[in-house]
C-alpha cells in the first residue's frame, strides 16, 4: 500500500519500519513513546495503532496533510452493489 501512495504523492516521504514482534513488546520500545505496532503515522499524527487500516483512509489523511483535495468514494462494481 505505502509504495503505491509514495508514487502517487511525490511531496511526502514514506518510511516503512518492519521489525520482529519481540522488538515491539519490550520495555525499551514503550519508553520511546512510539505507537503500538502495527501503526500508521502521517506527519506527527498517529492515524491508527494496534490494528490495520485501509488504503483509502490513509490516502485521505495524506491529502489533508498536504492540503489537497481528498479523493472521492470509489465506484463499486456490480457484485458489490448486488450483495450490499
Amino acid at each position: 500500500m505505502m509504495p503505491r501512495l509514495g508514487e502517487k504523492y511525490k511531496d511526502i516521504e514514506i518510511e516503512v519500519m518492519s521489525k520482529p514482534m519481540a522488538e515491539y513488546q519490550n520495555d525499551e520500545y514503550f519508553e520511546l513513546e512510539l505507537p503500538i505496532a502495527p501503526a500508521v503515522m502521517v506527519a506527527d499524527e498517529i492515524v491508527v495503532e494496534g490494528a490495520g487500516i485501509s488504503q483509502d483512509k490513509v490516502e485521505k489523511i495524506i491529502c489533508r496533510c498536504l492540503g489537497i483535495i481528498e479523493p472521492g468514494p470509489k465506484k463499486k462494481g456490480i457484485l458489490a452493489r448486488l450483495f450490499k
Side-chain angles (χ1 to χ4, degrees), residues 12-37:
I12 195 162
E13 179 183 330
I14 294 179
E15 180 181 348
V16 178
M17 295 172 52
S18 180
K19 297 180 181 183
M21 188 62 97
E23 288 190 38
Y24 294 113
Q25 297 176 336
N26 60 41
D27 293 336
E28 291 84 22
Y29 181 80
F30 290 111
E31 289 174 7
L32 296 173
E33 297 182 16
L34 293 172
I36 298 169

Side-chain angles (χ1 to χ4, degrees), residues 20-71:
M21 188 62 97
E23 288 190 38
Y24 294 113
Q25 297 176 336
N26 60 41
D27 293 336
E28 291 84 22
Y29 181 80
F30 290 111
E31 289 174 7
L32 296 173
E33 297 182 16
L34 293 172
I36 298 169
V40 174
M41 291 180 68
V42 176
D44 291 332
E45 177 185 352
I46 298 172
V47 178
V48 66
E49 62 180 317
I53 188 169
S54 72
Q55 179 174 331
D56 296 335
K57 205 171 202 179
V58 173
E59 188 170 4
K60 286 179 182 181
I61 294 167
I62 289 171
C63 290
R64 269 189 249 138
C65 185
L66 294 175
I68 59 177
I69 298 173
E70 296 177 16

